[in-house]
């Protein structure tokens, strides 16, 4: 783009300022940074225009030169422009220095590898030292302002890169002692000193003579980046500007300078403080914050150095100075402020918070300071607003609220009044004419009167509710305050039902102390006064909030009476919202009739549908489930459409969700008894599970279908009795059971999960025979033995024995089925296999490593299973 | 302690945006630090458009504040200071220091050198008080001596250059912007050693010192048995010292006559070099007794070049200058009023002006007035529903004057007639406006001979005094009236 005229630039800058992001996104934005730099050297543009270009670069370097490389190039270009200026007075030198500094600091380009940094730093230091830098740097008349500007630039660089100027402390001290400009040098020295102390303390290093004027970087010489590298990691948020009580907390390590260093340090601080009256008040305040912070972590540096300044500071009305004083108070506590000093400071603060000569924002800030006053010996919990101990109620008289105050002042003062009332409660009732509590009550009455004004501004209503909230927040335990407040609010609602949204909001925010009684009186207020149509929508809004299981019949009759007046969609929806609230509260009786009536009678089809839906839900869902179904939607964030949101809620709640199983199921030890085999299932859960239903499915047609098992509630870590699952085999064969679980989560969702299949082993089906009636066991066994043939089969096999021998094997696996036993060598075993098979075993003449088994069964199919079973026994012992 | 950005926004109700950004300035190097310090809680400074919208919404300055909006009107959204959180770009920008004055919104965002979540208390943020000083400084610059919009625009146009001087990198160097302006103009003067930063250049010319004491008296009078009347004097001492030399020392003593009321709650200008502890501790918080320090109040200081407020004080005089009662009774569409005012004999009966304004809020326009005054004249402003009783320069010899009669009102129409949130029903007031020259209620004066000046040449010393009424209310004694806690402690 060619050179632009002044007007064209003005237009371009205007367009940029209107919306920098839009401008930079447009094709015009691409070249702006480059054009700006080149135009600075144009001879056609006036200095004033160039200053406005530089002003832009001071504000938006990140947009003009978005990365470190372009920022570096820009800074270099700006420095070149500066050097090329003719030696006559120019308004450009100062902004050029500022712009180069800004470009480097904001563009992340400042560092040892940056050529521009290596040029800028010595240049600034030279200017700050008042050295003659040659004719290129302007006439003598400009030296003084440039010296101050250079100090400001250095200070900004030090702020962005702590430790950068650690090597220049001695130089700055020397300059301050001579004829340098006091304010820029003082602030620069204080900042560099603070940063150096912090960095050295962290590194557990001393001051290393940094305070004594010595080798300072000279023009062209190498800059010492060591401290800055050290400090770079420390522009971290862990050091709060408000010194906390515990030093560890803020990460400020404690530095112990040696006596020599301590003396130098004291001298430097005293030098700064002694000339501080020459600084503007805001600069004095900065100096105090910096020095306070610097000395805080130092051992053996009593803060008495500050003492001479205190009286002067206490007398002023200047906000920054009093604030800095409070910072010193917080930093040093009793070491700097005796109890009397503390009391005096508190009094000054109290009077400043109400002094008629000061503006409102100042009053409010001082009030905040009072409630967060850094006491020497605080009693209450930290971090909570409280009236300081020394602030006697008598001192607060002038700080109490009245209706004539601005809303913010009223709320701030009201908070103080509440704190006083809370204290008052702790003491005896003193029988005073006007206790703070009475005054509070009167004030709230006044606020409600104003909120009740028909057509009054929203702000008045908001103020009344904010005040009520604040009072409840502070005085929730005082029925003497809450009772009149509750009734007062009810009266307010009666006068101005249009405040319903405020009431709903208040009910949402306050605890049960006010919430419960307020609900009750509001419900009463609404249902006892039917038939006022303009307020109907507000009444319905309130009822939807306050309707619960209490006195539902009055609410229902109100709704029945008002249903006819609900002619438009909005009112019908509001009416249905109340029904919904009643549904959630578990009101059944009467509500079904109302919903049915609404489903017929409402004009709007949407309303009818809703009523029908609610009716169906009421008829089909049990109470708790209904509560969850109608509760706030868990599935999705709030959507704009109530219908969609509501349906999403239903969908989530009424549908069964697929979920990973929080349940573990296993088969426990069996107990062979009874008419059918029964599996004893052990169950463990990872999270609470309600209304658990376990469903089982058998592969193929081996067993009859199995019944489900129901468990009302299972909790993790709480043992549960084994669940019994009776099996009805159609064939005596092992199988696998497919298992599914249906359950309700604590959030009320119904979930469905597939569990790993459960194996049913062959041995799980074993049942003993009923005992022979006459005790002739041998005869009984022989009878069974004989009955197997000819229908069945006989087989012999070798059952290997483990080291424990036959006795152990039998007692472990076959005990319930032994009919005749001659331990340790001979056992006759009879096993019933439902539905109607038998398996008979003769284990006789056991040897060391095994026992020969003769077996008979009346079911051919059983034979291979029995063989596998017997051969597997020894391994299973 | 530094500022991330500063804005001036004119509030223009009725326009589509309800306001215009008149000036804004961002500080990118501070912004960079904010990003590091605030960490994950960092919210960048928005562009002017979104900022304007969010700020006006939060300050309730948009025209559509009729409906309840939870993010602004919720009862738990309580602001007790002029510091706000603004919802912009999905985050909450905090702390935004902002206030409205003369239809101009002053706003800035200070750097917080730590994480913003949880929010640290404001007292712990060094930049907060600096924000206020910067905004107050801009406000003073724009409005001191400013007469019209053209002048305001000129001053607004000067602001970028001034902030380049007073706040080049976001750290405020001088809240007195006029100083910075002079600094630009004085740039060619070589500064001698130890020049205070708050004093640009030196004065050359005839030495003179001018001291003026302005006292404002406020009062709330109820004429009721159980509610005490209250009144208070607030004084401001303004100085202009045209003296040669870099650091001339001046001591001004304020004196009281033997029966004068002690000065309390004294706040001094930062140029005052030392303060007697009796001055520091005399405060209205404590009960006054005869042993209270009653001067002379000595203020040694090194004056700046410009006119400045040397000190402020309050005082509790034994009686209000004018004591009165106001009785108003509603009778259907008309009200019956009786007013009685009595000037205290000790007060100088020589006013620059004195008048009583009797407004009628939340009613229709005045249709008929039938009133009799014992002294002065009555003016009727029908549309404004206002009566002004012009008392003039002197009270009559009896020192007591009265007004009585009836006022009839027409039908109320919401738009035109004045609304007031306090004057509901019978609650009503009259407000006194008066000014007395060369007089203070406390008796406080600066004796020319007690002014000590340590500078070359004998300066001409001039002193001025005046008393002005301010918030001087007399409430209708026949109806409830808003009270302060102090009024209840009889």
């Amino acid at each position: 783009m060619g050179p632009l005229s002044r007007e064209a630039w003005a237009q371009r800058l205007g367009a940029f300022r209107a919306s920098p992001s839009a401008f930079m996104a447009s094709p015009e934005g691409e070249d702006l940074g480059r054009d700006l730099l080149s135009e600075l050297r144009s001879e056609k543009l006036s200095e004033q225009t160039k200053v406005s270009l530089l002003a832009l670069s001071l504000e938006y370097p990140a947009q003009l030169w978005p990365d470190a490389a372009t920022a570096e190039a820009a800074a270099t270009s700006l420095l070149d422009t500066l050097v090329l200026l003719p030696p006559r007075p120019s308004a450009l030198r100062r902004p050029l220095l500022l712009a180069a500094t800004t470009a480097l600091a904001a563009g992340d380009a400042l560092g040892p590898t940056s050529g521009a940094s290596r040029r800028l730093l010595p240049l600034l230091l030279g200017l700050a030292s008042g050295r003659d830098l040659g004719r290129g740097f302007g006439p003598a008349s400009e030296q003084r302002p440039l010296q101050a500007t250079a100090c400001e630039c250095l200070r900004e660089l030090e702020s962005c890169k702590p430790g950068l100027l650690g090597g220049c402390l001695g130089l700055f001290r020397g300059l301050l002692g001579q004829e340098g400009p006091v304010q820029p040098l003082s602030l620069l020295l204080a900042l560099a000193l603070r940063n150096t102390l912090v960095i050295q303390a962290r590194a557990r290093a001393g001051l290393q003579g940094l305070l004594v004027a010595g080798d300072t970087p000279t023009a062209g010489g190498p800059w010492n980046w060591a401290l800055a590298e050290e400090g770079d990691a420390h522009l971290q948020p862990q050091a709060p500007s408000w010194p906390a009580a515990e030093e560890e907390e803020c990460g400020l390590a404690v530095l112990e300078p040696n006596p020599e260093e301590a003396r130098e340090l004291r001298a430097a601080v005293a030098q700064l403080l002694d000339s501080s009256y020459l600084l503007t008040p805001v600069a004095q305040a900065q100096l105090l914050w910096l020095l306070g912070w610097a000395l805080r972590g130092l051992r053996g540096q009593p803060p008495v150095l500050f003492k001479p300044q205190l009286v002067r500071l206490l007398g002023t009305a200047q906000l920054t100075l009093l604030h800095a004083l409070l910072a010193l108070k917080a930093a040093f506590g009793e070491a700097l402020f005796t109890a009397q000093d503390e009391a005096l400071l508190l009094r000054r603060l109290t009077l400043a918070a109400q002094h008629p000569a000061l503006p409102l924002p100042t009053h409010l800030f001082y009030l905040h300071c009072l409630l967060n006053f850094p006491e020497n010996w605080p009693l209450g919990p930290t971090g909570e607003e409280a009236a300081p101990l020394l602030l006697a109620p008598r001192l607060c008289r002038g700080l109490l609220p009245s209706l004539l105050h601005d809303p913010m002042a009223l709320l701030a003062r009201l908070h103080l009044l509440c704190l006083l009332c809370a204290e008052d409660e702790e003491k005896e009732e003193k029988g005073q004419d006007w206790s703070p509590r009475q005054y509070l009550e009167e004030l709230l009455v006044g606020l409600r009167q104003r909120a009740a004004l028909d057509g009054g501004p929203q702000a008045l209503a908001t103020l009344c509710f904010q005040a009520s909230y604040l009072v409840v927040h502070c005085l929730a335990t005082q029925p003497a305050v809450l009772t009149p407040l509750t009734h007062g609010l009810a009266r307010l609602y009666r006068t101005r039902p249009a405040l319903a949204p405020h009431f709903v909001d208040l009910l949402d925010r306050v605890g049960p102390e006010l919430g419960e009684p307020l609900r009750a009186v509001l419900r009463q207020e609404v249902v006892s006064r039917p038939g006022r149509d303009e307020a109907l929508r507000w009444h319905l809004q309130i009822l939807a909030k306050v309707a619960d299981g209490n006195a539902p019949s009055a609410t229902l009759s109100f709704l029945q009476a008002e249903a006819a007046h609900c002619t438009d969609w909005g009112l019908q929806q509001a009416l249905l919202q109340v029904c919904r609230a009643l549904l959630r509260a578990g009101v059944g009786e009467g509500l079904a009739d109302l919903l049915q009536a609404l489903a017929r009678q409402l004009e709007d089809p949407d309303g009818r549908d809703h009523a029908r839906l609610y009716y169906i839900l009421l008829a089909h869902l049990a109470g708790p489930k209904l509560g969850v179904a109608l509760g706030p939607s868990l599935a999705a964030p709030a959507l704009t459409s109530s219908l969609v949101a509501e349906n999403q809620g239903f969908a989530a709640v009424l549908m069964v969700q697929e979920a990973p199983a929080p349940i573990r199921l296993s088969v426990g030890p069996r107990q062979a008894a009874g008419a059918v085999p029964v599996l004893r299932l052990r169950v463990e859960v990872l999270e609470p599970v309600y209304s658990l239903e376990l469903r089982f499915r058998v592969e193929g047609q081996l067993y009859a279908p199995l019944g489900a098992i129901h468990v009302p509630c299972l909790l993790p870590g709480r043992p549960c009795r084994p669940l019994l699952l009776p099996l009805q085999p159609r064939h005596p064969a092992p199988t696998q059971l497919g298992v599914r679980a249906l359950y309700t989560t604590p959030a009320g969702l119904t979930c469905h999960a597939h569990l790993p299949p459960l194996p049913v082993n062959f041995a799980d089906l074993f049942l003993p025979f009923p005992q022979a009636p006459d005790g002739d066991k041998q005869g009984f066994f022989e009878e069974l033995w004989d009955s197997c043939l000819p229908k069945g089969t006989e087989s012999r096999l070798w059952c290997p024995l483990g080291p424990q021998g036959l006795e152990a094997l039998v007692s472990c696996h076959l005990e319930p089925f032994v009919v005749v036993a001659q331990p340790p060598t001979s056992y006759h075993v009879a096993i019933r296999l439902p539905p109607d098979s038998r398996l008979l075993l003769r284990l006789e003449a056991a040897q060391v490593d095994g026992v020969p088994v003769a077996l008979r069964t009346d079911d051919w199919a059983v034979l291979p299973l029995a063989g596998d079973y017997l051969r597997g026994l020894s391994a299973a012992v | 302690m530094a500022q991330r950005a500063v804005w001036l926004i004119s509030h223009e109700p009725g326009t589509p945006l309800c306001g215009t950004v008149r000036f804004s300035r961002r500080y990118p190097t501070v912004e960079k630090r904010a990003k590091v310090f605030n960490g994950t809680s960092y919210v960048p400074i928005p562009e002017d458009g979104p900022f304007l919208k969010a700020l006006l919404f939060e300050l309730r300055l948009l025209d559509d504040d009729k409906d309840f909006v939870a993010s602004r009107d919720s009862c738990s959204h309580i602001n007790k200071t002029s510091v706000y959180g603004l919802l912009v770009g999905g985050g909450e920008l905090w702390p935004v220091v902002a206030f409205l004055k003369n239809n101009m919104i002053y706003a800035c965002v200070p750097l917080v050198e730590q994480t913003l979540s949880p929010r640290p208390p404001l007292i712990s943020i060094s930049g907060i008080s600096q924000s206020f000083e910067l905004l107050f400084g801009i406000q003073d610059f724009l409005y001191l001596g400013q007469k019209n919009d053209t002048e305001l625009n000129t001053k607004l146009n000067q602001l970028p250059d001034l902030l380049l001087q007073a706040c080049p990198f976001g750290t405020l160097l001088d809240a007195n912007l006029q100083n910075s302006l002079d600094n630009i103009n004085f740039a060619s003067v070589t500064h001698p050693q130890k020049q205070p930063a708050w004093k640009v250049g030196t004065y050359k010319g005839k030495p003179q010192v001018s001291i003026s004491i302005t006292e404002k008296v406020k009062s709330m009078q109820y004429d009721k048995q159980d509610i005490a009347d209250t009144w208070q004097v607030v004084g401001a001492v303004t100085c202009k010292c045209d003296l040669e030399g870099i650091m001339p020392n001046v001591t001004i003593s304020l004196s009281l006559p033997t029966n004068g009321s002690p000065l309390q709650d004294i706040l001094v200008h930062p140029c005052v070099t030392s303060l007697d502890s009796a001055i520091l501790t005399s405060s209205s918080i404590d009960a006054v007794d005869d042993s209270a320090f009653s001067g002379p109040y000595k203020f040694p200081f090194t004056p700046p070049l410009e006119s400045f407020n040397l000190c402020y004080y309050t005082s509790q005089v034994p009686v209000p200058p004018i004591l009165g009662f106001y009785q108003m009774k509603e009778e259907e569409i008309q009200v019956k009023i009786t007013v009685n005012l009595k000037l205290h004999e000790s007060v100088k009966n020589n006013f620059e002006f004195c008048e009583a304004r009797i407004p009628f809020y939340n009613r229709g326009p005045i249709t008929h007035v039938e009133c009799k005054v014992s002294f002065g004249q009555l003016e009727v402003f029908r549309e404004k529903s206002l009566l002004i009783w012009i008392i003039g320069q002197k009270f009559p010899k009896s020192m007591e004057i009265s007004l009585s009669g009836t006022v009839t009102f027409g039908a109320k129409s919401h738009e035109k007639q004045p609304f007031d949130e306090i004057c509901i029903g019978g609650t009503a007031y009259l407000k006194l406006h008066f000014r007395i020259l060369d007089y203070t209620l406390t008796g406080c004066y600066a004796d020319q001979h007690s002014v000590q000046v340590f500078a070359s040449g004998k300066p001409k010393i001039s002193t001025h005094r005046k008393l002005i009424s301010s918030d001087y209310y007399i409430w209708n004694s026949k109806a409830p009236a808003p009270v302060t806690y102090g009024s209840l402690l009889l």
Side-chain angles (χ1 to χ4, degrees), chain A residues 108 235 278 280 347-348 415, chain B residues 32 36 80 173 197 266 286:
Chain A
D108 261 336
L235 187 64
L278 293 169
T280 61
R347 293 166 97 79
R348 292 299 293 184
H415 191 186
Chain B
K32 209 175 132 47
V36 178
K80 295 183 291 174
L173 304 175
I266 297 168
D286 306 295

Side-chain angles (χ1 to χ4, degrees), chain A residues 667-673 677-680 761-767 812-814 816-817 831 869 873:
Chain A
V667 180
R670 68 203 147 105
Q671 278 184 347
V678 175
L679 285 186
R680 297 170 69 85
N761 297 318
F762 182 52
D764 291 332
L765 305 175
F766 293 4
L767 288 173
C812 189
H813 296 285
L814 298 168
F817 318 109
I831 299 167
Y869 170 69
L873 280 185

Side-chain angles (χ1 to χ4, degrees), chain B residues 100-373:
Chain B
L100 173 74
K101 186 90 191 183
N102 299 328
N103 275 330
M104 189 70 93
I105 305 163
Y106 300 80
C108 64
V109 181
L111 171 70
V112 182
E113 298 182 355
Q114 64 188 89
T115 176
L116 299 176
S117 118
R119 279 185 186 177
L122 296 179
I123 190 176
S124 71
I125 303 171
S126 60
I128 287 279
S129 53
Q130 197 186 64
S131 298
F132 280 116
E133 295 285 5
L134 171 61
L135 299 179
F136 292 149
I138 296 177
Q139 185 197 330
D140 285 349
F141 171 72
L142 291 184
Y143 283 96
L144 280 185
Q146 187 248 129
K147 289 170 200 77
N148 53 41
D149 274 0
T150 329
E151 220 169 305
L152 177 66
N153 285 335
T154 314
K155 289 195 163 186
L156 278 170
N157 287 336
Q158 287 172 326
L159 266 186
D161 282 345
L162 287 184
L163 283 197
L164 206 57
Q165 292 284 335
C167 192
F169 284 113
T171 307
L172 185 62
L173 304 175
D174 192 354
N176 186 340
L177 296 188
Q178 191 64 44
N179 255 351
S180 301
L181 187 64
D182 298 340
N183 217 337
I184 298 174
N185 302 337
F186 265 103
S188 57
V189 179
T190 45
H191 293 236
Q193 189 185 351
K194 294 294 176 207
Q195 176 81 18
W198 36 264
K199 187 172 180 182
V200 280
T202 46
Y203 174 79
K204 292 262 179 286
K206 225 170 111 190
Q208 50 190 351
V209 173
S210 154
I211 306 160
S212 47
I213 303 173
T214 305
E215 284 187 352
K216 288 183 178 172
V217 57
K218 22 187 226 175
S219 183
M220 293 281 241
Q221 299 179 20
Y222 300 98
D223 187 33
K224 284 187 181 175
Q225 286 293 318
D226 51 348
I227 304 177
D229 295 344
T230 58
W231 58 91
Q232 188 185 30
V233 174
V234 187
V237 181
T238 311
C239 291
K240 175 91 169 76
C241 301
D242 296 328
L243 298 169
E244 293 192 341
I246 309 163
M247 295 277 281
N249 281 317
V250 181
T251 300
I252 288 180
S253 300
L254 299 180
S255 311
L256 294 174
T258 42
N259 56 353
S261 308
L263 309 187
Q264 300 169 323
D265 303 343
I266 297 168
L267 301 174
V268 298
H269 190 271
C271 72
V272 174
T273 46
S274 68
L275 262 189
D276 195 295
S277 68
I279 293 181
L280 205 56
T281 51
S282 86
S283 124
S284 62
I285 298 170
D286 306 295
V288 188
D289 54 29
D290 292 340
S291 65
F293 179 67
S294 59
Y297 304 85
K298 278 184 191 278
F299 300 99
F301 61 94
T302 313
L305 284 178
E306 72 275 3
S307 167
F308 68 101
N309 288 315
L310 176 68
C311 73
Y312 300 103
Y313 60 83
T314 70
S315 181
Q316 192 58 60
V317 292
V319 287
I322 298 176
L323 187 67
F325 66 76
Y326 173 33
Q327 295 172 348
M328 184 190 96
K329 274 190 192 157
E330 295 176 279
E331 289 169 358
E332 290 172 16
I333 55 163
Q334 66 175 24
V335 297
K336 224 176 137 180
I337 57 173
T338 312
V339 179
N340 187 290
L341 300 174
K342 187 169 192 295
L343 180 69
H344 194 263
E345 59 204 6
S346 67
V347 177
K348 178 175 169 181
N349 189 4
N350 186 358
F351 292 80
E352 190 179 41
F353 66 87
C354 179
E355 63 186 36
R357 290 172 175 245
I358 312 171
F360 299 94
Y361 291 107
N362 310 323
R363 297 173 193 277
I366 296 175
T367 52
H368 184 68
V369 177
E370 210 174 294
C371 278
K372 204 174 73 194
V373 290

Side-chain angles (χ1 to χ4, degrees), chain A residues 299-359:
Chain A
R299 291 257 164 83
Q301 291 289 323
V304 288
L305 286 169
F306 292 104
K307 206 109 195 179
Q309 309 292 329
L310 297 187
V311 173
R312 187 171 67 84
L313 297 174
L314 268 175
T316 75
Q318 201 85 25
L319 192 64
T320 41
L321 288 177
L322 209 46
H323 193 195
L325 199 60
L326 288 166
L328 288 179
K329 174 79 175 63
F332 299 110
E334 229 185 357
L336 188 56
F337 290 81
T338 62
Q340 286 82 1
D341 294 340
E342 184 176 51
L344 179 62
L345 177 57
L346 209 48
R347 293 166 97 79
R348 292 299 293 184
L349 200 56
T350 310
L351 80 85
Q354 55 186 307
H355 202 289
L358 299 179

